[in-house]
Structure formats: C-alpha cells, structure tokens
Amino acid sequence: MKLKVCGMKQENNILDVADLEPNYMGFIFYEKSLRNFKEIIPALPEGIEKIGVFVNASIDFIVSKIEEHNLNGVQLHGNESPEFCEQLKEYDILIIKVFSMKNQFDFKVLEPYQDVCDYYLFDTKGKEPGGNGYTFNWNLLKKYTYNKPYFLSGGIGMENIDALLLFLKRPESRLCCTLDVNSKFESSPAFKDITLLKDFKYKLTKHGY
C-alpha cells in the first residue's frame, strides 16, 4: 500500500513530511484552495513523486507547472475529458483522474478514461473539489469492476483507521494501491501534523500495509 500526502505548502513542513518517505506528495495549483501552492518545491528525497493537483485548468497552465516544478504526475479534479487526459499523456507523466462519490455512483462514466489515465482516484463528493474532510460510502466500491488500480481519498484520518483496515481486508480493496490523506492530518490548513502521520504509517505497517 502506497501513501500520498496532499495539500503541501510550507517548505519546512514539506521537508518534515518528506522525512517520513511517503510515495507521493501532492501540490495543489488551484486559486480557490486554502492549500494553493505558489512557492518552489524544495528538493525531495529520491523515491517521492511530486503530483500536481488541478481543477479544470488549461493544458498550457498544467504544462507550465509540470515544467516549472518537474512534476511526476497530475491529478485532475475537475470535468476534464478523456481527450484532455490523452493530450497530457505525451508529457510522460502519471495521469490520475478523480471521480467524486457519496452514496451512489455510476461506474460506467469511467469507461472512456480506461486508456488515457494511469489511475483513478475516488474522493468524497462535497462542496469543494477536494479536501472536504469526510469519507464516502466505501461499500460503493463493491461495484467497481475495472482492473485499473485506484487511489482512495476523502476524509481518511486516525479516527477512522479501524474502518479503513477492515476495508483493506475486503475484496473491493484489491485494486486500492494508494491512500491519499490531507486535511485530517493538519493542525491548520496545509500544515501537516508529523506525529499523526507517523502514527498512521505505523498502524498501517503493523497490519501489513
């Protein structure tokens, strides 16, 4: 199981989180977000991939951030079309397409994206495109019939780790490759609590994840 810590912003906090060696770190390039990133990403240890998070941004804007920050991947949180994703594939980066859900979801909408993205990310449908701080109904993933690995996001924190561990033992978690955490591990917007993240990683490792 891989770990992505999203919504990074302040340099010292970025470096502290990097010391925990998550597989991915997410940087949000969306003006309306409290975690909108405007700085320079400091040098990260080898093995940590930098993911840029975008919401209905233009190709030109995304490419400018890929080049400026040497991003390893993009996470698309808006209404980006399969054709849009396909255009980004030529930049040799990971394409993560986000789909938001709550108590119901039509998985047929994933079909056109099968060949144009590397991963899906399932997040909670809420007021904002992401970072709403609560989980969706993970039972919905029993209806996920595709073979593409996915990131699980939306309100994951220490208070629901027991439910998460139960989910990870169930068949519908078979293709869950990465846990994406954000607001539940913050002491203030964009500032991650290192102790909480350490505890989370410890509990996952203790249970074989």
Side-chain angles (χ1 to χ4, degrees):
M1 184 60 60
K2 293 184 176 181
L3 177 65
K4 175 173 171 280
V5 182
C6 200
M8 302 307 307
K9 195 168 182 180
Q10 300 175 41
E11 182 173 350
N12 288 342
N13 194 230
I14 291 169
L15 294 173
D16 286 343
V17 171
D19 285 342
L20 301 179
E21 300 181 338
N23 304 91
Y24 307 97
M25 292 179 75
F27 301 87
I28 298 172
F29 299 99
Y30 179 55
E31 289 275 345
K32 295 180 182 178
S33 173
L34 292 172
R35 302 165 184 86
N36 184 37
F37 189 78
K38 295 181 178 179
E39 309 302 324
I40 299 298
I41 301 174
L44 301 178
E46 191 175 343
I48 298 178
E49 298 195 75
K50 296 175 285 188
I51 306 296
V53 180
F54 301 91
V55 182
N56 294 325
S58 68
I59 289 280
D60 288 346
F61 179 76
I62 294 174
V63 171
S64 73
K65 296 304 178 185
I66 291 170
E67 293 175 347
E68 180 183 356
H69 300 286
N70 195 24
L71 299 178
N72 303 104
V74 297
Q75 181 174 310
L76 305 174
H77 256 277
N79 301 313
E80 298 87 2
S81 68
E83 294 76 21
F84 188 94
C85 297
E86 191 166 26
Q87 286 183 65
L88 287 171
K89 280 182 77 69
E90 67 182 80
Y91 295 94
D92 194 28
I93 53 168
L94 289 177
I95 309 290
I96 304 164
K97 183 67 186 83
V98 179
F99 295 91
S100 298
M101 50 185 73
K102 199 168 184 182
N103 295 316
Q104 55 186 8
F105 185 75
D106 181 5
F107 284 95
K108 289 178 185 173
V109 302
L110 306 180
E111 183 65 39
Y113 293 89
Q114 278 289 96
D115 298 326
V116 295
C117 64
D118 298 286
Y119 301 100
Y120 298 133
L121 184 149
F122 298 129
D123 195 8
T124 304
K125 189 172 188 177
K127 212 169 141 185
E128 304 299 332
N132 289 288
Y134 53 93
T135 61
F136 64 90
N137 182 0
W138 295 337
N139 285 325
L140 288 174
L141 294 169
K142 291 177 180 178
K143 298 178 181 178
Y144 180 65
T145 57
Y146 296 102
N147 287 319
K148 190 175 294 295
Y150 65 85
F151 288 40
L152 183 67
S153 188
I156 296 172
M158 291 302 294
E159 71 268 30
N160 54 30
I161 192 160
D162 290 339
L164 176 65
L165 290 168
L166 285 174
F167 168 77
L168 293 176
K169 291 177 183 176
R170 288 171 11 204
E172 58 268 30
S173 74
R174 178 177 62 90
L175 290 170
C176 178
C177 63
T178 303
L179 300 174
D180 185 326
V181 302
N182 190 348
S183 60
K184 289 292 185 178
F185 290 90
E186 292 180 339
S187 51
S188 60
F191 195 86
K192 301 301 185 284
D193 185 315
I194 304 303
T195 301
L196 279 181
L197 282 170
K198 277 183 182 174
D199 288 348
F200 185 70
K201 276 198 75 175
Y202 171 76
K203 287 208 170 182
L204 288 173
T205 304
K206 183 181 173 184
H207 287 84
Y209 300 105

